[in-house]
Amino acid sequence: MADRSAPSSNSAFDRFAARALPAFERALAEALPPPVPRAPALSRAIQDAVLSPGKRLRPLVALAAGEIVRAPLPAATAVAIAVEYLHAASLALDDLPSMDDARRRRGRPAIHVAHGVATAELAALALVARAFEVAAQAPETPPRVRARVVGELARAVGAEGSCAGQAADLAADPARLTLEDLEAIHAGKTGALFVAAVRGGALAGGAGDETLEALTLFARNLGLAFQITDDMLDLAGNAETMGKDTRRDAHRANFATLFGPESSRKLVDELLEAAVSALSPLGRKAAVLADLPRVVRDRQK
Amino acid sequence: MADRSAPSSNSAFDRFAARALPAFERALAEALPPPVPRAPALSRAIQDAVLSPGKRLRPLVALAAGEIVRAPLPAATAVAIAVEYLHAASLALDDLPSMDDARRRRGRPAIHVAHGVATAELAALALVARAFEVAAQAPETPPRVRARVVGELARAVGAEGSCAGQAADLAADPARLTLEDLEAIHAGKTGALFVAAVRGGALAGGAGDETLEALTLFARNLGLAFQITDDMLDLAGNAETMGKDTRRDAHRANFATLFGPESSRKLVDELLEAAVSALSPLGRKAAVLADLPRVVRDRQK
């Protein structure tokens, strides 16, 4: 079996990732807040949350969307950084004892395990704030677009986005959950930030409404498929491969527990097909994004 | 003794507050996120955090700064709403068991006491996101200014602002704390958002650098004085008047515990004098803000 941690070089997305990631990782680190003089633990927690090895799927999606409309690289990179900071913040929050109470993430101790609960909470808030600062100050981007991207990112993580999804997930009664409920929960928890990533990347290049709509539909389907594969991998429970506590959701209702692996796999295939179809108006330019459904289908972690 | 909960009508600030507050309170409620269908507890927590009776000092400061430069009222109101949402979020976070572990706030149970820790954490994040959304979409405001205000608000609450202050406060060793440390902690915890409030309100009216500098100096001194009076009132410990747990900080080093009531009072007077002086370049136009030091000096809660 091939080592999936090394990108295979023969697919459009893997080639794109290999080309875009080194500079993005540097920019991601450079945009972190300066060290906090009287609270070094806060700085370490912020760094841990962002710089621990991640798949960077959301920022890569933002960068790939930017390329479709020839966005200036610094403009799309600012959006991608903001998206990844928001994602890192949401992981730190979701892992808290009050939420999913997870002790490992990305192969390392969760942020609150390494740095304490209060520091994890503050690191998450600091990263959210930094995300909006970076988006508001994106270089080579008209102010009108910067303000719009801030608004879209804010909705994606707020009470109409990931906060709503996480709160609904915590409040859900597994015995009474419907497919519609689950889709709404995951549209918030995962879908909203994927959508903001593609839209933000495309807005950085001045995309028009038609392009934005195609990308939105793509991201909504891709995000949901990604979440279902997450549930399936969690239930299969290879903590070592996943780098985080698995089977934490086994007592909670999710796609995998509710519908079983076979129906879940079928739903994933349908969603990924819909994601690819959504891109058809964009033609060849969307080849990198169009390769992502394969990445999600094949993911092992 | 006069009832200080009813504003006396013979001072510039009280008259301004009586005039500005009714419309502001309506706008504050109307800008809240729409109800979250599958997580009513999150919506209730968000409403509680924002709509419980507060002094609204920071948004009033933003509105008063806006009046100095004749900012359109809807523009200054958006900044004021964003500032109050950020303030409400920081109170909900500061009260958490992992932080100050306070059980009462504004005369009511703290957000996590009423709604649970996870919901309080999510409500705080949702309010932070909404604050940036409101600021990014401020009406009658040029996009360039909206993007700039988002950046300034983000710095005020992030790892160079209130997060840094709160983290430094939690990390501080009371036995080794200097005046400089305390000032830095409170510049972050309280000063930064006061500064962002005046600057944001003034930017909404297109203020130039000189005006911004005067207002910044004013707010920095006022914010620090406000925090010291907070410490003094906390130590004096009238929980009923304060509407929150008091003497929670008695074991922690703060201005009141470190320097005693007399020196603290003297420091407050010096800071408030500096605050008034800072406004002198603005002349009569700053009469409402220039009255605020009196409000802080006389505060009983």
Side-chain angles (χ1 to χ4, degrees), chain B residues 46 49 116 119 126 137 149 214 221 253 255 263:
Chain B
I46 289 171
T119 305
Q137 296 171 347
V149 169
N221 284 294
F255 288 99
S263 297

Side-chain angles (χ1 to χ4, degrees), chain B residues 11-191:
Chain B
S11 93
F13 182 78
D14 293 341
R15 281 197 308 274
F16 175 72
R19 169 162 63 84
L21 269 180
F24 175 70
E25 292 283 355
R26 274 195 304 278
L28 189 71
E30 278 165 13
L32 285 171
V36 184
R38 286 173 178 79
L42 178 61
S43 293
R44 284 194 298 269
I46 289 171
Q47 290 197 325
D48 262 20
V50 170
L51 301 181
S52 60
K55 295 184 284 288
R56 312 295 188 211
L57 202 54
R58 291 157 189 81
L60 283 169
V61 159
L63 292 170
E67 277 212 346
I68 293 175
V69 290
R70 303 187 181 209
L73 185 58
T77 298
V79 173
I81 290 170
V83 165
E84 187 65 3
Y85 287 176
L86 292 174
H87 178 55
S90 85
L91 295 183
L93 280 179
D94 286 354
D95 287 345
L96 286 173
S98 55
M99 307 246 188
D100 300 345
D101 195 15
R103 300 192 57 79
R104 293 190 70 75
R105 169 72 70 177
R106 292 177 168 177
R108 303 187 180 186
I111 303 301
H112 67 277
V113 173
H115 305 281
V117 170
T119 305
E121 290 162 337
L122 291 171
L125 175 55
L127 279 171
V128 168
R130 190 63 162 188
F132 289 113
E133 189 182 349
V134 168
Q137 296 171 347
E140 301 183 37
T141 310
R144 186 184 44 77
V145 172
R146 287 185 265 140
R148 180 164 175 190
V149 169
V150 167
E152 298 223 358
L153 291 174
R155 260 193 308 283
V157 298
E160 294 166 88
S162 55
C163 277
Q166 177 71 355
D169 195 10
L170 293 171
D173 173 359
R176 302 179 52 184
L177 213 61
T178 66
L179 176 61
E180 203 184 22
D181 292 331
L182 267 179
E183 287 190 350
I185 287 170
H186 291 305
K189 279 184 76 166
T190 313

Side-chain angles (χ1 to χ4, degrees), chain A residues 125-137:
Chain A
L125 176 56
L127 279 171
V128 168
R130 190 64 162 188
F132 289 114
E133 190 182 350
V134 168
Q137 296 172 348

Side-chain angles (χ1 to χ4, degrees), chain A residues 92-116:
Chain A
L93 280 179
D94 286 355
D95 287 345
L96 287 173
S98 56
M99 308 245 190
D100 300 347
D101 195 15
R103 300 191 58 80
R104 293 190 70 76
R105 168 73 71 176
R106 290 176 168 176
R108 301 187 182 186
I111 303 302
H112 68 277
V113 172
H115 304 281

